[in-house]
Amino acid sequence: MPPAPPAAPARDLAPTRPARPDRRPEQPVRERNRLRLILAALVLLAGCVALGFAALHVGPQWLDGAGSVAVLTTYSWALMARTGGRQLVFAALAFAVGVVAVVQDGEVLRSGAAVMTCVVSGVLAVVITVSARTFLIAAREVVLATAVASIGAYATVGFEPAASSVRFEYLTLGLGFLVVFTLVWRFGAGLNGLGTRGLVTLVVGTLLLAASLAYAELFRRYGASGVVQPTAGLQEWSRTTLGAFPPPLMVLLGVPALAWGVHMRARRRQGWWVCTFGAAAMLPVAQGLVDLDTSYVEGGLQAAYGVGLGLLVGFLVIRLDLLLTGSRGRRARAVEEQHALRPEPSRFSSL
């Protein structure tokens, strides 16, 4: 028999390592994203300046419309960038809607653009938040969301909607909740990520929302009767003494839900379902100036009082949640906060 061929060296049989991918092409992508962010910030700043001059009755009459178009375009781009949509397509569409509404100057077009601005502002204010390990960070996120919605309020009224304030509020509230619910369905992994706690929160929040809307309707119809006379007296005293009356829907449901939601998101995905009811705070802020009886000062005070009182309620809710489900003791809670690091994209990244 012929001799067997010699075995190949071991190094020849070793698997070849794949070439390490070159990471340098990521740098131009980051640079483009940074440039887009800077451009969007400049457009938003220009829109805010135009709306500020228009509020002070300084400059030409078209400043309020131009500022509203700039804010609507920027917010639409930011919302699509945050939710993984087509930024340029929807930003161009929002720009076209705003320009047509301002140029044609029709009541239907202006009202439609105002509804779109209000809904986009309220939804963006909710989804632009990030998870919060502590209550102070949660309070910071609520204040930031309120600022985003407040700019949207000035842009909304800049389109000068002709619809009645009651219809406008109901329409934007319904559309806003529908959009937020659709987005949270994806962020929270549908009903599979709801869990028992999320289901209870969803049911309780829905009941509170329905009760608040029912009471608001009673107040509009029977404000002078004995049905809601105590609340009517308190509202009148607050507006006379403090300058504004905070929206109950914002204090009792919207702000506490948003604060608790971002706090829970640092620990579990169910927090997104709680954040759904944060729209009950951000949408009223964006609607605040549509009512002709509400001045700029009163609208700002309403938002400030609503955030302050709502954060107090939210603090109590978070403490109760940690007491019932978290670790007891100050040291144990500190350890729990350090380990509350559920991964979530940064503020300007897609969810």
Side-chain angles (χ1 to χ4, degrees), residues 78-85 123-124 126-129 179-194 265 268-273 275-276 342-345 349-351:
L79 181 60
M80 290 300 104
R82 184 63 169 160
T83 57
V123 175
L124 177 63
V126 174
V127 301
I128 203 173
T129 56
V179 175
V180 172
F181 185 85
T182 303
L183 294 175
V184 170
W185 183 277
R186 178 164 60 91
F187 300 155
L191 295 178
N192 295 327
L194 192 58
R265 274 162 48 190
R268 55 188 67 89
R269 187 179 290 186
Q270 295 171 348
W272 273 113
W273 286 103
C275 287
T276 303
R342 176 183 168 271
E344 193 171 289
S349 301
S350 175
L351 291 168

Side-chain angles (χ1 to χ4, degrees), residues 129-274:
T129 56
V130 296
S131 59
R133 292 188 296 109
T134 64
F135 173 76
L136 291 179
I137 300 178
R140 180 199 68 187
E141 294 303 310
V142 171
V143 172
L144 175 65
T146 306
V148 172
S150 299
I151 296 176
Y154 285 94
T156 299
V157 76
F159 282 113
E160 300 179 358
S164 66
S165 59
V166 177
R167 293 181 180 178
F168 188 89
E169 291 175 7
Y170 281 140
L171 179 59
T172 53
L173 195 64
L175 291 176
F177 263 102
L178 180 61
V179 175
V180 172
F181 185 85
T182 303
L183 294 175
V184 170
W185 183 277
R186 178 164 60 91
F187 300 155
L191 295 178
N192 295 327
L194 192 58
T196 304
R197 180 187 303 182
L199 181 60
V200 172
T201 303
L202 188 63
V203 172
V204 173
T206 304
L207 293 177
L208 284 175
L209 178 63
S212 301
L213 294 178
Y215 192 83
E217 188 63 26
L218 285 175
F219 187 84
R220 288 191 181 97
R221 295 189 179 187
Y222 310 106
S225 65
V227 179
V228 291
Q229 188 62 34
T231 306
L234 177 61
Q235 180 176 359
E236 185 63 27
W237 175 86
S238 178
R239 295 185 67 176
T240 304
T241 307
L242 304 177
F245 181 74
L249 187 63
M250 184 177 179
V251 175
L252 300 178
L253 179 61
V255 172
L258 187 58
W260 186 26
V262 296
H263 187 269
M264 188 185 297
R265 274 162 48 190
R267 293 150 177 84
R268 55 188 67 89
R269 187 179 290 186
Q270 295 171 348
W272 273 113
W273 286 103
V274 182

Side-chain angles (χ1 to χ4, degrees), residues 226-350:
V227 179
V228 291
Q229 188 62 34
T231 306
L234 177 61
Q235 180 176 359
E236 185 63 27
W237 175 86
S238 178
R239 295 185 67 176
T240 304
T241 307
L242 304 177
F245 181 74
L249 187 63
M250 184 177 179
V251 175
L252 300 178
L253 179 61
V255 172
L258 187 58
W260 186 26
V262 296
H263 187 269
M264 188 185 297
R265 274 162 48 190
R267 293 150 177 84
R268 55 188 67 89
R269 187 179 290 186
Q270 295 171 348
W272 273 113
W273 286 103
V274 182
C275 287
T276 303
F277 296 99
M282 298 302 108
L283 288 168
V285 171
Q287 301 163 353
L289 299 178
V290 174
D291 190 355
L292 297 178
D293 295 333
T294 303
S295 62
Y296 291 121
V297 176
E298 185 177 356
L301 290 176
Q302 282 181 351
Y305 294 157
V307 169
L309 295 176
L311 284 177
L312 291 178
V313 179
F315 176 77
L316 296 177
V317 172
I318 292 175
R319 297 297 297 175
L320 181 62
D321 178 47
L322 294 177
L323 180 64
L324 295 177
T325 62
S327 304
R328 299 193 177 185
R330 181 178 300 178
R331 182 175 300 177
R333 287 195 298 269
V335 173
E336 189 270 342
E337 289 179 357
Q338 293 297 327
H339 289 81
L341 296 174
R342 176 183 168 271
E344 193 171 289
S346 60
R347 191 182 307 279
F348 299 107
S349 301
S350 175

